[in-house]
Amino acid sequence: MTFTSSRVTPWAERRARPAKGKSGRELAHESAEKHVLGTAAYIDDLPELAGTLHAVAGKSTIACGKIRKLDLAPVWASPGVVDVLTLADIPGEKDIGPVYKGDLIFADGRVDFHGQALFAVVAESFEQAKRAALAAVVEYDEEDAILSVEHALQQNSFVNPAHTMQKGDAAAALAKAPVRLSGSLYVRGQEQFYLEGQISYAIPGEDGSMKVHCSTQHPSEVQKLVAEVLDVPINHINVEVRRMGGGFGGKETQAAQWACIASVFATRLNRPVKMRLDRQDDMVLTGKRHDFLNRYELGITEEGKILGADIELAGFCGYTADLSDAIVDRAMFHVDNAYNLHDTRVIGHRCRTNTVSNTAFRGFGGPQGMIFAECMLDDIARKVGKDPLDVRKLNYYQDGECTHYGQPIEHFILPELIETLEKDCDYRVRREAIKTFNAQNPFKKRGLALTPIRFGISFTLQFLNQAGALVHVYTDGSVHLNHGGTEMGQGLYTKVAQVVANEFDIDIDMVMVSATTTDKVPNTSATAASSGSDLNGKAAQNACQMIKTRLVDFAAKHFSVTTGDVRFENNHVVISKDGKEEWIAFGEFTDLAYRNRISLSAAGFYSTPKIHYDRKTATGRPFFYYAFGAACSEVEIDTLTGEYKVLRADVLHDVGTSLNPAIDIGQIEGGFIQGMGWLTTEELLWDAKGRLASASAATYKIPTSVDIPVHFSVRLFDRPNSEDTIYNSKAVGEPPLMHGISVWCALRDAVASVADYKVSPQLDTPATPERVLNAVMAMQALNSAEA
């Protein structure tokens, strides 16, 4: 047998107990200890190679217009400057649009948003480059800018044509409905505010090759775009991502620009180049979650059942398409949430504005659609005088019904999940207690809301639903794992390693996961759409099963038994023969297989089945399955100031059979708080000139520890996924963010109590204290008018 490290628990000890850390077990994040100790290495922590230079972008100071003069001589003359780059200096492709063309690396004669990159400068230090970038002399012929969704709609300014989804005859249903109502909601976007900003470190190699350390969710796209920009074959570029300090969608497409700039500099100078955006540049230069202006017209029964709906969504896309087509589509897919809208028309506009191109953010348009569904249901409840939860129950989908995009409703466990949460959180008792509290307190009002989520899982672009993994088993029984997913703190590396441990029935400490890199697993999809574990877990399982098949076939032949007599158990391979069992340590067995020339390496692959969507007919099955959940939140507002606090939140979430309950609960907790922040404190603002006014932590407020609900309970709804996912688990990345909608609904409920729940208050998001106070005053004005 080969050498066994002293760090490895002896095989005899491992045989006496089940393998540790397999799928389904609670296990700490693989980098948790390093995170706490500060030893987890991010790109800016890597030792800089000799000769490393630092790049900074020079930005525009207007939102729209032509560049009359761009004088870079003062930049060249600045201390420490080594090179300056403009669009004309790009050797290859100048447009790095991820789906549609239009995303130039630098402005080409005109400016389309305030802060757009005009050029880049590289210097001996970051500080020198930063100062040099400010030295450019730029003159413009300024033009009127389009800075709002409303203005874009008026001017017919769109990045792509509108898309319509339709079921039945919405106009006829509305005309026949005994009760009609209409409304609107403006939903603001959200800054990703990842802890680690955008950063790339390009290191030139031999024969025109380039290694790029990049904080990106999509290494393969960065690899492809860097190759195109440098005008070299893709195999000349290797992109590596060990970990990101957060991503949330903001590093899906928008990491590429900085990697490309660093790589061009590195090629021109044959020196390593790092490009790191400081916080303010990061917020100005990169896209956010889309604002949405949503409008509806509903036809309902007198009891509150929806008969038909005409819905219009308009996304605030920025100056290019980026991923906006798919984002607005997903908002349209989720505008029904858990409810059958029956005869429905949904139209989605993609509004072009003179602002930075907005991009992916956790939920990818789904939250902006889903909150509108909850807004509509609350409005119906106020209209018919019922508890909002009862109106929600009245309008649930049923198994066998179809969505407005033609996907059948299957495995609809949401009613049971809601009933469980309603009972466990004492919803009815608390509802009555809140009514009593509000009647007795003239200045403090409480609100309660229990809201569901039904979130579709899959990339809606079919070909992206694929993944690869590479598994090596060594002769001491240790296993090396590499896959196409990226780690941004969500625990993907941990979960996929647990899958490998589970397949071989070995301890998790025998599995080592290495950095995601394009020279090991090629042509990968972004780690996005909540699909990381679904795709990469299945790909890793596929690789393990190929190796296991070889090992079992070898064992059967070597020991003269059938394949059914061979099993993996407790870090051993067990051979059953003539009524006896021979236990062989996994390391000893893999060494034996190697000596008999059995391959111990495999490249696994997985592609998601069943999914398809035809944009021409706006029908199909874009999602492999749905993840469900519900949250009940209680708030208290001060009607004199608009200030509020979240008193309690109870969450029950469906993750199928959990791959790691500890990590899943952590994701749900974080998602809830991030969703709550989006709808309460995080306010993106541009001034009249198109300048981002909320461009720092001083002017953009993310939630902190003091914003966490006083009582915060998160539980998992233990129900295996009916679809064939990895161990029948479900995705947990994006869906929990939408539990934050319950806080917004609870705030609306509290404000509605001021007018005795007779009217739904207009409460656009984020529901800052100012907006809450304005809504309260509107309710008080209604009371005065009635009096």
Side-chain angles (χ1 to χ4, degrees):
M1 184 174 173
T2 59
F3 169 79
T4 301
S5 169
S6 62
R7 297 184 179 185
V8 174
T9 304
W11 295 104
E13 290 184 25
R14 294 175 187 254
R15 175 180 171 178
R17 54 160 176 79
K20 294 182 178 180
K22 299 192 300 180
S23 284
R25 311 285 175 82
E26 291 197 342
L27 187 70
H29 188 288
E30 48 86 23
S31 292
E33 186 174 307
K34 292 188 280 287
H35 289 154
V36 173
L37 296 175
T39 56
Y42 296 88
I43 293 173
D44 215 27
D45 298 319
L46 300 177
E48 291 181 359
L49 298 175
T52 293
L53 300 171
H54 300 265
V56 169
K59 308 188 297 296
S60 71
T61 55
I62 67 167
C64 184
K66 295 178 181 177
I67 301 171
R68 185 169 64 245
K69 176 183 178 182
L70 178 60
D71 183 3
L72 299 177
V75 179
W76 278 102
S78 299
V81 169
V82 178
D83 197 7
V84 179
L85 201 62
T86 65
L87 192 68
D89 300 311
I90 303 299
E93 177 61 63
K94 297 172 171 59
D95 191 325
I96 56 171
V99 181
Y100 301 98
K101 292 299 181 182
D103 289 278
L104 296 174
I105 293 180
F106 299 114
D108 185 18
R110 66 170 294 110
V111 170
D112 289 300
F113 74 92
H114 196 291
Q116 185 175 1
L118 306 180
F119 65 92
V121 55
V122 70
E124 298 290 346
S125 73
F126 175 79
E127 291 76 12
Q128 290 174 327
K130 189 75 176 172
R131 291 190 180 95
L134 299 174
V137 177
V138 190
E139 296 178 3
Y140 308 94
D141 292 323
E142 193 168 359
E143 302 170 3
D144 292 338
I146 297 175
L147 300 174
S148 69
V149 174
E150 295 91 336
H151 193 187
L153 290 170
Q154 291 168 4
Q155 297 295 316
N156 289 318
S157 177
F158 304 109
V159 296
N160 273 321
H163 184 51
T164 301
M165 301 175 188
Q166 192 159 335
K167 180 176 75 170
D169 189 339
L174 292 173
K176 296 176 183 176
V179 181
R180 293 176 69 166
L181 68 159
S182 60
S184 66
L185 178 69
Y186 194 88
V187 184
R188 283 201 181 271
Q190 187 178 22
E191 172 65 44
Q192 285 89 356
F193 217 97
Y194 25 65
L195 292 181
E196 177 198 35
Q198 300 279 0
I199 183 170
S200 289
Y201 188 24
I203 304 168
E206 296 180 349
D207 303 319
S209 65
M210 184 74 64
K211 181 172 185 177
V212 184
H213 294 276
C214 184
S215 186
T216 176
Q217 296 169 237
H218 201 345
S220 287
E221 181 173 76
V222 171
Q223 178 195 31
K224 173 179 176 291
L225 292 174
V226 168
E228 291 176 357
V229 164
L230 295 180
D231 193 20
V232 299
I234 293 176
N235 65 359
H236 281 48
I237 310 300
N238 181 29
V239 176
E240 180 174 310
V241 186
R242 172 56 184 92
R243 59 172 63 85
M244 288 169 274
F248 307 118
K251 296 175 181 177
E252 182 173 347
T253 62
Q254 301 212 353
Q257 183 175 4
W258 326 115
C260 289
I261 293 171
S263 297
V264 173
F265 274 131
T267 298
R268 283 162 62 96
L269 302 170
N270 198 31
R271 292 175 65 175
V273 174
K274 180 186 289 185
M275 189 166 193
R276 174 179 63 82
L277 304 189
D278 63 28
R279 180 61 64 184
Q280 190 165 29
D281 276 359
D282 196 303
M283 295 180 79
V284 168
L285 284 161
T286 66
K288 300 96 176 58
R289 185 189 298 282
H290 293 56
D291 289 27
F292 267 76
L293 174 60
N294 301 334
R295 298 173 177 142
Y296 75 81
E297 187 171 359
L298 293 177
I300 62 173
T301 67
E302 293 178 353
E303 292 74 34
K305 188 174 181 65
I306 299 171
L307 300 175
D310 193 1
I311 298 170
E312 182 181 29
L313 311 178
F316 183 62
C317 300
Y319 82 107
T320 64
D322 193 78
L323 299 174
S324 292
D325 237 27
I327 288 166
V328 176
D329 282 356
R330 189 172 276 264
M332 297 169 69
F333 286 135
H334 287 85
V335 77
D336 56 344
N337 195 11
Y339 316 110
N340 192 340
L341 304 180
H342 295 281
D343 293 287
T344 307
R345 186 189 74 142
V346 181
I347 184 167
H349 302 289
R350 289 96 166 119
C351 297
R352 185 188 184 278
T353 55
N354 291 114
T355 53
V356 66
S357 293
N358 284 324
T359 191
F361 195 133
R362 194 176 190 175
F364 203 77
Q368 296 97 310
M370 196 176 290
I371 190 176
F372 199 44
E374 298 311 313
C375 172
M376 292 188 290
L377 269 292
D378 278 348
D379 290 355
I380 294 170
R382 310 281 183 250
K383 181 76 173 179
V384 301
K386 285 186 173 182
D387 186 299
L389 180 57
D390 293 329
V391 173
R392 287 180 166 89
K393 289 181 176 183
L394 182 64
N395 286 284
Y396 284 157
Y397 274 117
Q398 302 293 324
D399 274 328
E401 294 179 336
C402 274
T403 65
H404 55 284
Y405 47 91
Q407 177 154 346
I409 297 296
E410 302 171 312
H411 321 303
F412 192 68
I413 61 173
L414 193 55
E416 182 185 350
L417 187 152
I418 292 280
E419 292 292 339
T420 302
L421 180 61
E422 177 187 355
K423 179 181 178 181
D424 291 349
C425 76
D426 297 319
Y427 176 86
R428 301 294 175 179
V429 173
R430 290 164 62 199
R431 171 61 75 188
E432 293 305 313
I434 285 171
K435 288 181 180 177
T436 302
F437 176 90
N438 290 342
Q440 296 173 350
N441 289 271
F443 303 123
K444 299 280 189 179
K445 301 293 181 183
R446 290 183 178 176
L448 184 69
L450 197 162
T451 59
I453 61 170
R454 179 187 63 94
F455 192 78
I457 304 299
S458 289
F459 287 100
T460 52
L461 194 57
Q462 186 186 37
F463 77 85
L464 294 175
N465 295 278
Q466 59 176 298
L470 183 64
V471 175
H472 302 317
V473 179
Y474 296 102
T475 55
D476 65 350
S478 62
V479 179
H480 174 94
L481 165 66
N482 191 274
H483 56 78
T486 56
E487 177 62 56
M488 60 198 95
Q490 83 279 37
L492 177 63
Y493 276 22
T494 307
K495 284 185 171 183
V496 181
Q498 287 181 274
V499 169
V500 173
N502 197 72
E503 287 299 310
F504 291 116
D505 209 70
I506 58 175
D507 288 355
I508 190 70
D509 64 6
M510 297 300 290
V511 182
M512 172 68 74
V513 189
S514 60
T516 306
T517 176
T518 54
D519 64 356
K520 286 188 176 178
V521 178
N523 309 319
T524 58
S525 296
T527 305
S530 302
S531 62
S533 295
D534 282 4
L535 294 176
N536 295 286
K538 272 289 194 180
Q541 182 188 46
N542 177 242
C544 292
Q545 288 176 346
M546 284 192 278
I547 296 171
K548 283 176 68 178
T549 298
R550 295 175 201 151
L551 291 176
V552 169
D553 289 345
F554 160 69
K557 182 178 179 181
H558 187 79
F559 293 101
S560 301
V561 297
T562 67
T563 56
D565 295 324
V566 182
R567 72 178 190 274
F568 294 75
E569 184 176 337
N570 293 7
N571 296 279
H572 285 67
V573 176
V574 184
I575 312 296
S576 299
K577 187 175 183 180
D578 299 330
K580 298 180 181 179
E581 291 185 339
E582 181 179 358
W583 288 64
I584 307 172
F586 187 68
E588 182 180 339
F589 184 78
T590 55
D591 184 59
L592 178 64
Y594 162 73
R595 293 178 184 279
N596 282 270
R597 298 185 298 177
I598 303 301
S599 172
L600 299 176
S601 176
F605 182 78
Y606 174 74
S607 61
T608 309
K610 296 185 179 182
I611 51 177
H612 58 93
Y613 180 69
D614 184 348
R615 281 185 63 83
K616 292 180 180 178
T617 63
T619 59
R621 178 178 176 155
F623 306 117
F624 186 30
Y625 63 88
Y626 294 106
F628 300 100
C632 182
S633 292
E634 183 177 345
V635 301
E636 181 177 293
I637 67 171
D638 186 327
T639 60
L640 300 178
T641 66
E643 293 176 298
Y644 53 82
K645 56 186 176 181
V646 183
L647 301 177
R648 178 173 171 178
D650 297 88
V651 178
L652 183 59
H653 193 79
D654 161 40
V655 296
T657 301
S658 175
L659 295 177
N660 184 320
I663 284 178
D664 285 347
I665 288 174
Q667 283 292 292
I668 297 164
E669 290 173 341
F672 177 93
I673 298 300
Q674 191 172 49
M676 182 183 74
W678 163 51
L679 297 173
T680 57
T681 65
E682 300 184 43
E683 188 167 26
L684 287 171
L685 293 172
W686 284 263
D687 66 18
K689 288 290 187 179
R691 182 189 300 108
L692 182 65
S694 51
S696 72
T699 53
Y700 186 81
K701 185 185 176 187
I702 63 172
T704 67
S705 58
V706 299
D707 298 303
I708 296 173
V710 178
H711 170 97
F712 191 20
S713 168
V714 173
R715 293 184 298 120
L716 303 181
F717 189 66
D718 188 15
R719 187 68 55 84
N721 191 348
S722 297
E723 296 294 348
D724 183 22
T725 54
I726 184 69
Y727 304 140
N728 299 105
S729 63
K730 284 190 177 183
V732 74
E734 293 169 300
L737 180 134
M738 283 148 278
H739 289 308
I741 294 171
S742 65
V743 173
W744 177 78
C745 287
L747 288 170
R748 262 188 119 201
D749 186 65
V751 174
S753 72
V754 175
D756 196 25
Y757 305 103
K758 294 176 182 177
V759 180
S760 260
Q762 186 67 36
L763 187 60
D764 293 339
T765 75
T768 59
E770 294 88 345
R771 286 198 176 91
V772 170
L773 181 59
N774 286 336
V776 167
M777 293 168 65
M779 294 296 100
Q780 291 170 337
L782 284 174
N783 287 342
S784 298
E786 289 181 2

